[in-house]
Amino acid sequence: MDRTGPRLRAQVHTAAELYEKHFGRRSAGMWLGECGYVPGVDELLREVAIRYFFVDSHAILYADRRPVYGVYAPIYCATGVARLRPRHESSEQVWSAKHGYPGDPH
C-alpha cells in the first residue's frame, strides 16, 4: 500500500471524522493500527488536527533523532505531531493473550 497516498489519507480522515461524529469533537490523539509508523503519516495526522499518536517502542528507539529519555518521553516529528509509546499496562490490555482482550473468553 502506498504509505502516504490516497488510501492511507482516506483511513486517517475517516477515523478522525468518525470519532468526531460519535463523540462530538475531534480527537487530539490516535492509536495507529498495529502501533505502526511509516514516514509521512504524521503529515496526514496533522491534516486532521491530531497532535500525538502511539507507536511501538522500536519507532521511538530507532528514530532518526534518538530520544534522550528512551521510550519515556515523546519524540516530535518535524510537523509538530508527537510520537508516544503507550504505557506497558495499556499495551498489555491490547496484546496480551493472558491479560488482554484476546484472552478474554467473552
Side-chain angles (χ1 to χ4, degrees):
M1 179 184 284
D2 182 6
R3 295 175 181 218
T4 57
R7 291 177 198 92
L8 186 54
R9 176 173 272 111
Q11 289 180 46
V12 168
H13 281 259
T14 298
E17 290 163 8
L18 285 172
Y19 186 95
E20 186 172 20
K21 175 183 174 182
H22 291 288
F23 296 101
R25 63 179 175 81
R26 281 286 166 125
S27 176
M30 187 177 285
W31 191 303
L32 298 178
E34 300 295 322
C35 285
Y37 172 79
V38 293
V41 74
D42 52 296
E43 295 170 18
L44 301 177
L45 296 171
R46 186 182 63 173
E47 287 179 6
V48 295
I50 296 295
R51 296 192 320 256
Y52 61 89
F53 61 100
F54 294 99
V55 294
D56 68 14
S57 298
H58 293 89
I60 292 179
L61 293 175
Y62 299 108
D64 293 339
R65 293 186 343 244
R66 297 294 174 135
V68 176
Y69 300 106
V71 298
Y72 302 106
I75 291 184
Y76 288 89
C77 302
T79 57
V81 179
R83 281 186 235 184
L84 303 171
R85 179 191 172 273
R87 291 183 52 197
H88 175 73
E89 294 83 0
S90 299
S91 293
E92 195 168 80
Q93 290 177 355
V94 175
W95 299 112
S96 172
K98 184 176 181 183
H99 303 287
Y101 74 81
D104 187 335
H106 301 290

XYZ file of all heavy atoms in Angstrom:
854
model
N 0.853 -1.180 0.000
C 0.000 0.000 0.000
C 0.893 1.236 0.000
O 1.895 1.292 0.699
C -0.902 0.011 1.228
C -1.781 1.240 1.287
S -2.786 1.331 2.777
C -4.035 0.142 2.391
N 0.511 2.210 -0.763
C 1.221 3.477 -0.795
C 1.173 4.094 0.600
O 0.111 4.282 1.165
C 0.564 4.395 -1.821
C 1.267 5.721 -1.964
O 2.344 5.912 -1.357
O 0.747 6.574 -2.685
N 2.315 4.416 1.149
C 2.401 4.844 2.547
C 1.741 6.186 2.835
O 1.261 6.415 3.922
C 3.851 4.896 2.984
C 4.488 3.546 2.993
C 5.943 3.677 3.303
N 6.543 2.362 3.285
C 7.454 1.980 4.113
N 7.918 2.787 5.022
N 7.958 0.769 4.037
N 1.787 7.104 1.910
C 1.201 8.417 2.172
C 0.193 8.809 1.101
O -0.183 9.958 1.000
C 2.292 9.503 2.257
O 3.031 9.490 1.033
C 3.213 9.268 3.431
N -0.227 7.865 0.312
C -1.141 8.144 -0.781
C -2.589 8.235 -0.344
O -2.911 8.319 0.845
N -3.470 8.206 -1.318
C -4.891 8.414 -1.044
C -5.524 7.366 -0.133
O -6.439 7.681 0.621
C -5.537 8.404 -2.423
C -4.514 7.891 -3.374
C -3.178 8.063 -2.734
N -5.057 6.136 -0.164
C -5.661 5.099 0.697
C -5.376 5.373 2.172
O -6.261 5.290 3.012
C -5.144 3.722 0.302
C -5.647 3.272 -1.052
C -5.026 1.925 -1.412
N -5.136 1.655 -2.822
C -4.206 1.978 -3.722
N -3.091 2.554 -3.362
N -4.401 1.711 -4.996
N -4.131 5.692 2.473
C -3.779 5.987 3.858
C -4.440 7.285 4.302
O -4.963 7.380 5.414
C -2.256 6.076 4.012
C -1.727 6.246 5.429
C -2.264 5.163 6.353
C -0.214 6.219 5.420
N -4.460 8.279 3.437
C -5.132 9.548 3.758
C -6.607 9.291 4.060
O -7.163 9.827 5.021
C -4.985 10.531 2.604
C -5.751 11.830 2.848
C -5.479 12.884 1.773
N -4.304 13.628 2.194
C -3.109 13.564 1.591
N -2.942 12.809 0.530
N -2.106 14.263 2.040
N -7.248 8.448 3.270
C -8.664 8.144 3.492
C -8.877 7.470 4.845
O -9.842 7.784 5.548
C -9.196 7.254 2.365
N -7.978 6.560 5.233
C -8.117 5.895 6.529
C -8.005 6.894 7.676
O -8.801 6.861 8.620
C -7.041 4.824 6.682
C -7.244 3.621 5.795
C -6.141 2.606 5.997
O -5.780 2.297 7.125
N -5.607 2.085 4.905
N -7.027 7.782 7.602
C -6.817 8.766 8.662
C -8.000 9.730 8.740
O -8.528 9.999 9.821
C -5.486 9.521 8.441
C -5.380 10.731 9.347
C -4.305 8.577 8.652
N -8.428 10.228 7.596
C -9.551 11.169 7.595
C -10.844 10.507 8.059
O -11.618 11.107 8.814
C -9.718 11.793 6.201
C -8.742 12.889 5.929
N -9.068 14.217 6.016
C -7.429 12.849 5.592
C -8.005 14.945 5.739
N -6.996 14.136 5.478
N -11.073 9.270 7.640
C -12.279 8.553 8.063
C -12.271 8.332 9.572
O -13.282 8.553 10.247
C -12.400 7.205 7.324
O -12.506 7.463 5.930
C -13.610 6.423 7.796
N -11.135 7.931 10.122
C -11.041 7.717 11.567
C -11.341 9.005 12.326
O -12.109 9.008 13.290
C -9.656 7.194 11.933
N -10.761 10.114 11.880
C -10.982 11.395 12.558
C -12.442 11.829 12.454
O -13.034 12.299 13.429
C -10.066 12.463 11.969
N -13.037 11.654 11.296
C -14.433 12.053 11.098
C -15.385 11.187 11.920
O -16.361 11.695 12.490
C -14.777 11.994 9.618
C -14.076 13.089 8.817
C -14.070 12.828 7.323
O -14.743 11.880 6.849
O -13.366 13.582 6.608
N -15.129 9.880 11.977
C -15.995 9.002 12.766
C -15.894 9.304 14.254
O -16.903 9.281 14.965
C -15.657 7.534 12.503
C -16.151 6.993 11.171
C -15.601 5.590 10.927
C -17.666 6.983 11.133
N -14.696 9.583 14.729
C -14.538 9.956 16.133
C -15.366 11.206 16.424
O -16.107 11.262 17.401
C -13.067 10.196 16.468
C -12.839 10.449 17.938
C -12.474 9.413 18.778
C -13.022 11.714 18.493
C -12.284 9.626 20.137
C -12.838 11.943 19.851
C -12.475 10.899 20.662
O -12.303 11.107 22.000
N -15.233 12.203 15.565
C -15.975 13.451 15.761
C -17.482 13.222 15.699
O -18.243 13.780 16.496
C -15.557 14.482 14.710
C -16.178 15.836 14.928
C -15.610 16.883 13.993
O -15.032 16.528 12.947
O -15.755 18.066 14.316
N -17.919 12.381 14.803
C -19.349 12.080 14.679
C -19.898 11.458 15.961
O -20.971 11.820 16.432
C -19.572 11.117 13.509
C -20.995 10.648 13.359
C -21.119 9.639 12.228
C -22.523 9.067 12.168
N -22.658 8.044 11.121
N -19.144 10.532 16.542
C -19.635 9.796 17.708
C -19.393 10.501 19.043
O -20.141 10.285 19.993
C -19.031 8.393 17.739
C -19.542 7.526 16.636
N -20.817 7.018 16.616
C -18.958 7.102 15.489
C -20.997 6.309 15.516
N -19.879 6.344 14.819
N -18.354 11.328 19.113
C -18.013 11.970 20.387
C -18.204 13.483 20.383
O -17.997 14.135 21.397
C -16.577 11.625 20.798
C -16.404 10.151 21.074
C -15.822 9.323 20.128
C -16.823 9.602 22.272
C -15.662 7.972 20.376
C -16.672 8.250 22.523
C -16.091 7.428 21.569
N -18.582 14.039 19.235
C -18.896 15.461 19.165
C -17.703 16.398 19.139
O -17.860 17.605 19.269
N -16.509 15.859 18.980
C -15.307 16.690 18.897
C -14.197 15.885 18.221
O -14.267 14.661 18.154
C -14.843 17.137 20.277
C -14.438 15.986 21.176
C -13.947 16.477 22.540
N -13.671 15.375 23.430
C -12.557 14.644 23.434
N -11.596 14.898 22.578
N -12.408 13.662 24.295
N -13.200 16.573 17.754
C -12.048 15.898 17.167
C -11.165 15.341 18.272
O -11.020 15.949 19.321
C -11.217 16.871 16.309
C -11.779 17.136 14.940
C -11.548 15.931 14.041
N -12.364 16.022 12.845
C -11.868 15.965 11.618
N -10.580 15.866 11.421
N -12.681 16.009 10.595
N -10.577 14.223 18.043
C -9.632 13.635 18.983
C -8.294 14.343 18.841
O -7.898 14.735 17.741
C -9.452 12.147 18.686
O -8.472 11.597 19.525
N -7.590 14.488 19.942
C -6.248 15.077 19.900
C -5.203 14.036 19.540
O -4.118 14.367 19.074
C -5.903 15.697 21.248
N -5.530 12.738 19.759
C -4.557 11.687 19.506
C -5.149 10.508 18.771
O -6.366 10.401 18.636
N -4.275 9.640 18.287
C -4.725 8.466 17.548
C -3.766 7.310 17.806
O -2.559 7.493 17.867
C -4.771 8.780 16.048
C -5.390 7.693 15.204
S -5.489 8.141 13.444
C -6.842 9.305 13.477
N -4.341 6.130 17.983
C -3.562 4.896 18.119
C -3.498 4.295 16.727
O -4.508 3.835 16.185
C -4.272 3.962 19.079
C -3.482 2.775 19.512
C -2.923 1.827 18.712
C -3.192 2.392 20.855
N -2.298 0.878 19.464
C -2.442 1.201 20.784
C -3.489 2.936 22.097
C -1.989 0.538 21.921
C -3.036 2.270 23.211
C -2.297 1.092 23.128
N -2.322 4.296 16.120
C -2.175 3.750 14.773
C -2.353 2.242 14.787
O -1.983 1.577 15.752
C -0.795 4.100 14.211
C -0.503 5.582 14.046
C 0.923 5.786 13.535
C -1.497 6.228 13.111
N -2.908 1.714 13.728
C -3.104 0.273 13.608
C -1.797 -0.481 13.800
O -0.782 -0.131 13.188
N -1.810 -1.472 14.666
C -0.633 -2.272 14.992
C 0.507 -1.413 15.539
O 1.659 -1.827 15.523
C -0.141 -3.051 13.766
C -1.156 -4.006 13.181
C -1.516 -5.137 14.138
O -0.618 -5.627 14.848
O -2.681 -5.530 14.177
N 0.181 -0.212 16.025
C 1.187 0.743 16.515
C 2.265 0.989 15.464
O 3.415 1.235 15.763
C 1.831 0.275 17.821
S 0.737 0.482 19.228
N 1.866 0.881 14.206
C 2.810 1.036 13.114
C 3.084 2.482 12.783
O 2.254 3.352 12.998
N 4.251 2.731 12.261
C 4.625 4.072 11.832
C 5.319 3.960 10.489
O 6.152 3.074 10.285
C 5.580 4.728 12.828
C 6.134 6.027 12.311
C 5.378 7.189 12.349
C 7.401 6.088 11.748
C 5.867 8.378 11.850
C 7.895 7.277 11.250
C 7.132 8.416 11.302
O 7.614 9.590 10.803
N 4.958 4.824 9.585
C 5.675 4.971 8.327
C 5.963 6.455 8.158
O 5.149 7.300 8.559
C 4.884 4.424 7.115
C 4.743 2.922 7.202
C 3.532 5.078 6.998
N 7.122 6.788 7.625
C 7.425 8.202 7.410
C 6.325 8.874 6.588
O 5.833 8.319 5.610
C 8.754 8.159 6.644
C 9.382 6.862 7.063
C 8.220 5.914 7.225
N 5.925 10.035 7.034
C 4.890 10.785 6.334
C 3.522 10.691 6.964
O 2.672 11.529 6.712
N 3.284 9.681 7.797
C 1.956 9.541 8.399
C 1.659 10.717 9.325
O 0.513 11.135 9.462
C 1.779 8.181 9.115
C 2.543 8.125 10.419
C 0.303 7.894 9.347
N 2.699 11.295 9.933
C 2.492 12.443 10.804
C 1.930 13.642 10.033
O 1.151 14.421 10.566
C 3.775 12.839 11.531
C 4.942 13.029 10.587
O 5.353 12.041 9.938
O 5.445 14.163 10.483
N 2.275 13.766 8.756
C 1.720 14.844 7.934
C 0.217 14.658 7.746
O -0.555 15.620 7.802
C 2.420 14.890 6.582
C 3.891 15.255 6.695
C 4.649 15.063 5.394
O 4.006 14.987 4.333
O 5.890 14.990 5.454
N -0.192 13.405 7.539
C -1.616 13.115 7.380
C -2.366 13.340 8.689
O -3.491 13.842 8.688
C -1.815 11.678 6.903
C -1.158 11.322 5.570
C -1.365 9.855 5.255
C -1.701 12.197 4.459
N -1.755 12.981 9.800
C -2.377 13.195 11.101
C -2.538 14.681 11.389
O -3.562 15.118 11.913
C -1.559 12.508 12.199
C -1.485 10.977 12.093
C -0.484 10.428 13.089
C -2.842 10.346 12.279
N -1.537 15.451 11.028
C -1.623 16.900 11.235
C -2.772 17.505 10.432
O -3.446 18.428 10.882
C -0.308 17.565 10.856
C -0.290 19.050 11.193
C 0.975 19.680 10.764
N 1.064 19.578 9.307
C 1.976 20.144 8.577
N 2.918 20.848 9.136
N 1.984 20.009 7.266
N -3.049 16.955 9.242
C -4.159 17.443 8.405
C -5.491 17.400 9.144
O -6.368 18.211 8.882
C -4.290 16.608 7.128
C -3.229 16.834 6.113
C -3.417 15.938 4.893
O -4.444 15.222 4.785
O -2.513 15.939 4.033
N -5.656 16.422 10.039
C -6.924 16.263 10.757
C -6.799 16.685 12.229
O -7.584 16.264 13.069
C -7.486 14.828 10.628
C -7.848 14.519 9.179
C -6.516 13.795 11.170
N -5.801 17.506 12.517
C -5.595 18.115 13.836
C -5.186 17.125 14.924
O -5.385 17.381 16.109
C -6.818 18.916 14.266
N -4.619 15.990 14.553
C -4.090 15.048 15.538
C -2.758 15.598 16.035
O -1.883 15.942 15.234
C -3.906 13.636 14.919
C -5.251 13.044 14.505
C -3.161 12.712 15.867
C -6.195 12.763 15.647
N -2.588 15.686 17.364
C -1.368 16.242 17.948
C -0.387 15.171 18.417
O 0.780 15.447 18.641
C -1.724 17.163 19.102
C -2.523 18.377 18.626
C -2.649 19.459 19.688
N -2.876 18.967 21.027
C -4.067 18.992 21.654
N -5.125 19.483 21.059
N -4.176 18.543 22.877
N -0.881 13.926 18.607
C 0.013 12.847 19.026
C -0.547 11.515 18.554
O -1.737 11.379 18.273
C 0.212 12.829 20.546
C -1.068 12.599 21.327
C -1.481 11.308 21.642
C -1.858 13.662 21.737
C -2.647 11.097 22.353
C -3.019 13.454 22.446
C -3.415 12.176 22.749
O -4.573 11.963 23.447
N 0.334 10.544 18.454
C -0.072 9.191 18.080
C 0.823 8.202 18.798
O 1.918 8.526 19.242
C -0.043 8.985 16.565
C 1.307 9.171 15.925
C 2.089 8.077 15.609
C 1.782 10.432 15.619
C 3.325 8.232 15.017
C 3.010 10.607 15.016
C 3.793 9.504 14.714
N 0.306 6.981 18.949
C 1.018 5.932 19.661
C 1.710 4.985 18.688
O 1.156 4.639 17.647
C 0.054 5.130 20.533
C -0.525 5.948 21.653
C -1.786 6.504 21.539
C 0.208 6.187 22.801
C -2.322 7.270 22.560
C -0.318 6.949 23.828
C -1.581 7.492 23.705
N 2.925 4.598 19.053
C 3.712 3.666 18.248
C 4.365 2.656 19.182
O 4.373 2.830 20.395
C 4.811 4.404 17.442
C 4.202 5.311 16.392
C 5.739 5.179 18.350
N 4.951 1.596 18.606
C 5.658 0.654 19.463
C 7.035 1.222 19.813
O 7.474 2.237 19.266
C 5.752 -0.728 18.827
C 6.630 -0.791 17.596
O 7.395 0.160 17.338
O 6.568 -1.806 16.894
N 7.709 0.588 20.727
C 8.998 1.076 21.227
C 10.031 1.273 20.124
O 10.819 2.209 20.158
C 9.570 0.107 22.260
O 8.716 0.011 23.363
N 10.030 0.389 19.145
C 11.023 0.474 18.071
C 10.909 1.775 17.279
O 11.920 2.307 16.817
C 10.880 -0.725 17.129
C 11.238 -2.008 17.777
N 10.315 -2.751 18.456
C 12.412 -2.664 17.873
C 10.904 -3.832 18.942
N 12.182 -3.796 18.609
N 9.717 2.281 17.136
C 9.522 3.519 16.383
C 10.038 4.734 17.141
O 10.159 5.808 16.578
C 8.052 3.707 16.031
N 10.344 4.546 18.400
C 10.964 5.625 19.186
C 12.463 5.360 19.335
O 13.282 6.220 19.044
C 10.279 5.761 20.560
C 8.851 6.279 20.353
C 11.073 6.690 21.471
C 8.045 6.440 21.604
N 12.827 4.155 19.746
C 14.236 3.851 19.993
C 15.098 3.934 18.743
O 16.283 4.256 18.830
C 14.368 2.459 20.620
C 13.801 2.330 22.030
C 13.873 0.886 22.489
C 14.555 3.240 22.984
N 14.531 3.633 17.585
C 15.313 3.643 16.338
C 14.926 4.797 15.426
O 15.107 4.734 14.216
C 15.167 2.307 15.626
C 15.673 1.172 16.472
C 14.799 0.262 17.050
C 17.038 1.037 16.746
C 15.266 -0.764 17.864
C 17.503 0.012 17.556
C 16.613 -0.883 18.100
O 17.082 -1.890 18.911
N 14.428 5.862 16.003
C 14.062 7.051 15.230
C 15.314 7.734 14.690
O 16.427 7.513 15.186
C 13.278 8.022 16.114
N 15.126 8.559 13.680
C 16.251 9.309 13.118
C 16.934 10.158 14.182
O 18.151 10.241 14.234
C 15.780 10.207 11.968
C 15.321 9.397 10.774
O 15.717 8.223 10.652
O 14.573 9.945 9.955
N 16.142 10.816 15.004
C 16.672 11.593 16.127
C 16.468 10.762 17.382
O 15.345 10.567 17.830
C 15.946 12.930 16.240
C 16.217 13.838 15.076
C 15.619 15.231 15.250
N 14.611 15.356 16.266
C 13.329 15.674 16.029
N 12.920 15.876 14.813
N 12.479 15.796 17.022
N 17.549 10.256 17.961
C 17.461 9.380 19.128
C 16.888 10.126 20.335
O 17.276 11.249 20.608
C 18.834 8.828 19.496
C 19.449 7.955 18.433
C 18.640 6.693 18.262
N 19.154 5.923 17.151
C 19.353 4.635 17.195
N 19.069 3.955 18.277
N 19.790 4.004 16.148
N 15.977 9.494 21.061
C 15.383 10.153 22.222
C 16.343 10.205 23.412
O 17.064 9.241 23.677
C 14.182 9.266 22.545
C 14.572 7.920 22.025
C 15.430 8.180 20.815
N 16.346 11.323 24.096
C 17.203 11.498 25.267
C 16.743 10.593 26.409
O 17.557 10.016 27.127
C 17.193 12.980 25.718
C 17.998 13.160 26.996
C 17.736 13.865 24.611
N 15.427 10.448 26.578
C 14.881 9.686 27.702
C 14.311 8.330 27.277
O 13.408 7.808 27.912
C 13.811 10.506 28.408
C 14.357 11.804 28.951
C 14.074 13.011 28.334
C 15.184 11.811 30.069
C 14.593 14.200 28.815
C 15.713 12.993 30.557
C 15.416 14.175 29.930
O 15.936 15.341 30.409
N 14.811 7.769 26.206
C 14.335 6.474 25.744
C 12.866 6.533 25.351
O 12.419 7.491 24.740
N 12.123 5.516 25.751
C 10.705 5.437 25.373
C 9.799 6.196 26.329
O 8.583 6.174 26.194
C 10.227 3.975 25.275
C 10.986 3.231 24.195
C 10.347 3.263 26.614
N 10.388 6.909 27.294
C 9.593 7.545 28.336
C 9.248 9.006 28.061
O 8.700 9.677 28.922
C 10.307 7.412 29.684
C 10.538 5.970 30.013
C 11.798 5.408 29.911
C 9.477 5.140 30.364
C 12.000 4.062 30.180
C 9.675 3.802 30.634
C 10.931 3.268 30.538
O 11.130 1.940 30.796
N 9.578 9.490 26.902
C 9.239 10.871 26.532
C 8.857 10.891 25.061
O 9.311 10.049 24.282
C 10.420 11.789 26.787
N 8.022 11.816 24.666
C 7.615 11.875 23.257
C 8.756 12.315 22.346
O 9.703 12.957 22.782
C 6.503 12.914 23.259
C 6.759 13.758 24.448
C 7.405 12.866 25.464
N 8.635 11.930 21.108
C 9.507 12.444 20.055
C 8.600 13.260 19.142
O 7.543 12.777 18.710
C 10.151 11.313 19.248
C 11.159 10.570 20.092
C 10.820 11.873 18.002
C 11.904 9.502 19.327
N 9.006 14.466 18.846
C 8.212 15.322 17.974
C 8.723 15.219 16.547
O 9.915 15.357 16.289
C 8.246 16.770 18.457
C 7.445 16.948 19.712
C 8.028 16.780 20.960
C 6.087 17.235 19.652
C 7.285 16.900 22.120
C 5.336 17.356 20.809
C 5.949 17.190 22.036
O 5.203 17.302 23.176
N 7.797 14.949 15.643
C 8.117 14.926 14.220
C 8.307 16.366 13.746
O 7.924 17.307 14.438
C 6.974 14.269 13.438
S 6.606 12.582 13.977
N 8.859 16.539 12.568
C 9.063 17.876 12.007
C 7.742 18.635 11.882
O 7.722 19.865 11.915
C 9.749 17.776 10.652
N 6.638 17.915 11.776
C 5.311 18.532 11.663
C 4.788 19.045 12.996
O 3.744 19.700 13.039
C 4.303 17.516 11.118
O 4.295 16.380 11.997
C 4.647 17.078 9.701
N 5.459 18.693 14.098
C 4.990 19.078 15.428
C 4.112 18.029 16.078
O 3.729 18.153 17.237
N 3.793 16.970 15.364
C 2.991 15.870 15.908
C 3.933 14.967 16.708
O 5.045 14.676 16.282
C 2.289 15.085 14.774
C 1.486 13.923 15.329
C 1.411 16.002 13.946
N 3.490 14.544 17.886
C 4.338 13.761 18.786
C 4.096 12.268 18.642
O 2.959 11.820 18.512
C 4.086 14.179 20.231
N 5.181 11.511 18.699
C 5.127 10.048 18.777
C 5.224 9.674 20.247
O 6.134 10.110 20.948
C 6.339 9.410 18.108
C 6.305 9.333 16.648
C 7.515 8.535 16.193
N 8.274 9.325 15.250
C 9.340 8.895 14.614
N 9.807 7.681 14.842
N 9.959 9.657 13.759
N 4.314 8.848 20.715
C 4.326 8.378 22.099
C 4.293 6.861 22.128
O 3.669 6.230 21.282
C 3.099 8.883 22.859
C 2.856 10.379 22.912
C 1.483 10.653 23.500
C 3.926 11.038 23.745
N 4.910 6.287 23.132
C 4.798 4.848 23.361
C 3.732 4.666 24.428
O 3.765 5.315 25.465
C 6.120 4.289 23.858
C 6.042 2.803 24.133
C 7.309 2.374 24.880
N 7.185 1.020 25.313
C 6.631 0.637 26.474
N 6.120 1.514 27.289
N 6.574 -0.631 26.796
N 2.778 3.768 24.200
C 1.769 3.541 25.243
C 2.400 2.911 26.477
O 3.410 2.223 26.393
C 0.775 2.591 24.591
C 1.450 2.019 23.412
C 2.560 2.932 23.031
N 1.791 3.157 27.617
C 2.246 2.523 28.852
C 2.149 1.017 28.712
O 1.282 0.494 28.017
C 1.377 2.981 30.025
C 1.597 4.429 30.370
C 0.778 4.824 31.559
N 1.028 3.877 32.645
C 0.250 3.747 33.704
N -0.813 4.493 33.843
N 0.515 2.874 34.634
N 3.009 0.314 29.416
C 3.023 -1.139 29.355
C 1.653 -1.727 29.684
O 1.175 -2.645 29.014
C 4.081 -1.697 30.313
C 4.079 -3.181 30.388
N 4.553 -3.967 29.366
C 3.611 -4.022 31.339
C 4.395 -5.244 29.693
N 3.833 -5.301 30.890
N 0.990 -1.168 30.694
C -0.317 -1.681 31.103
C -1.347 -1.548 29.985
O -2.186 -2.417 29.783
C -0.812 -0.958 32.355
C 0.008 -1.220 33.596
C 1.258 -0.333 33.692
O 1.505 0.498 32.781
O 1.996 -0.491 34.672
N -1.292 -0.450 29.255
C -2.224 -0.244 28.144
C -1.953 -1.225 27.016
O -2.868 -1.812 26.444
C -2.112 1.188 27.603
O -2.424 2.106 28.605
N -0.688 -1.404 26.694
C -0.324 -2.347 25.632
C -0.725 -3.767 25.994
O -1.177 -4.520 25.142
C 1.184 -2.303 25.379
O 1.557 -1.081 24.834
N -0.557 -4.107 27.255
C -0.885 -5.464 27.693
C -2.380 -5.752 27.520
O -2.763 -6.858 27.175
C -0.464 -5.663 29.139
C -0.441 -7.119 29.527
C 0.250 -7.350 30.850
O -0.401 -7.130 31.885
O 1.416 -7.754 30.830
N -3.223 -4.757 27.746
C -4.664 -4.952 27.564
C -5.007 -5.276 26.118
O -5.958 -5.983 25.836
C -5.428 -3.708 27.997
C -5.418 -3.490 29.481
C -6.125 -2.213 29.873
O -6.553 -1.433 29.020
N -6.244 -1.970 31.159
N -4.217 -4.768 25.208
C -4.479 -4.989 23.782
C -3.802 -6.258 23.284
O -4.396 -7.045 22.561
C -4.004 -3.774 22.946
C -4.160 -4.034 21.458
C -4.762 -2.523 23.362
N -2.536 -6.476 23.649
C -1.744 -7.535 23.029
C -1.652 -8.829 23.812
O -1.406 -9.876 23.228
C -0.328 -7.022 22.777
C -0.300 -5.854 21.858
C 0.042 -4.578 22.182
C -0.658 -5.831 20.489
N -0.075 -3.765 21.091
C -0.504 -4.502 20.038
C -1.102 -6.783 19.592
C -0.766 -4.121 18.733
C -1.370 -6.403 18.288
C -1.197 -5.095 17.881
N -1.796 -8.807 25.117
C -1.558 -9.998 25.914
C -2.683 -11.022 25.764
O -3.849 -10.721 26.004
C -1.422 -9.615 27.389
O -1.371 -10.782 28.193
N -2.293 -12.246 25.409
C -3.280 -13.327 25.323
C -3.752 -13.743 26.707
O -4.824 -14.314 26.860
C -2.675 -14.519 24.594
N -2.968 -13.438 27.733
C -3.316 -13.830 29.094
C -4.130 -12.744 29.812
O -5.082 -13.039 30.512
C -2.034 -14.111 29.887
C -2.267 -14.618 31.280
C -0.945 -14.956 31.935
C -1.172 -15.489 33.340
N 0.098 -15.767 34.019
N -3.760 -11.466 29.622
C -4.398 -10.383 30.366
C -5.240 -9.456 29.511
O -5.993 -8.647 30.032
C -3.337 -9.530 31.076
C -2.476 -10.314 31.995
N -2.927 -10.804 33.200
C -1.194 -10.719 31.884
C -1.952 -11.470 33.787
N -0.884 -11.434 33.023
N -5.111 -9.538 28.222
C -5.803 -8.586 27.345
C -7.068 -9.132 26.748
O -7.481 -10.270 27.025
N -7.691 -8.344 25.907
C -8.944 -8.787 25.310
C -8.790 -10.030 24.433
O -9.739 -10.794 24.305
C -9.653 -7.642 24.581
C -9.058 -7.225 23.266
C -9.329 -7.932 22.107
C -8.263 -6.089 23.172
C -8.792 -7.543 20.891
C -7.724 -5.703 21.970
C -7.986 -6.434 20.831
O -7.454 -6.044 19.637
N -7.608 -10.320 23.840
C -7.512 -11.580 23.069
C -7.709 -12.817 23.942
O -8.146 -13.854 23.469
C -6.094 -11.561 22.491
C -5.702 -10.130 22.478
C -6.392 -9.516 23.673
N -7.396 -12.707 25.250
C -7.533 -13.860 26.140
C -8.862 -13.904 26.879
O -9.135 -14.859 27.611
N -9.706 -12.897 26.675
C -10.992 -12.852 27.364
C -11.963 -13.817 26.689
O -12.249 -13.688 25.501
C -11.552 -11.438 27.327
C -12.798 -11.273 28.174
O -13.524 -12.276 28.419
O -13.079 -10.143 28.606
N -12.503 -14.804 27.424
C -13.388 -15.783 26.800
C -14.722 -15.176 26.320
O -15.417 -15.776 25.523
C -13.634 -16.806 27.920
C -13.386 -16.061 29.189
C -12.327 -15.050 28.858
N -15.077 -13.992 26.807
C -16.330 -13.365 26.394
C -16.114 -12.512 25.181
O -16.981 -11.983 24.602
C -16.919 -12.545 27.529
C -17.199 -13.366 28.745
N -18.201 -14.296 28.806
C -16.563 -13.427 29.932
C -18.182 -14.891 29.984
N -17.198 -14.381 30.683
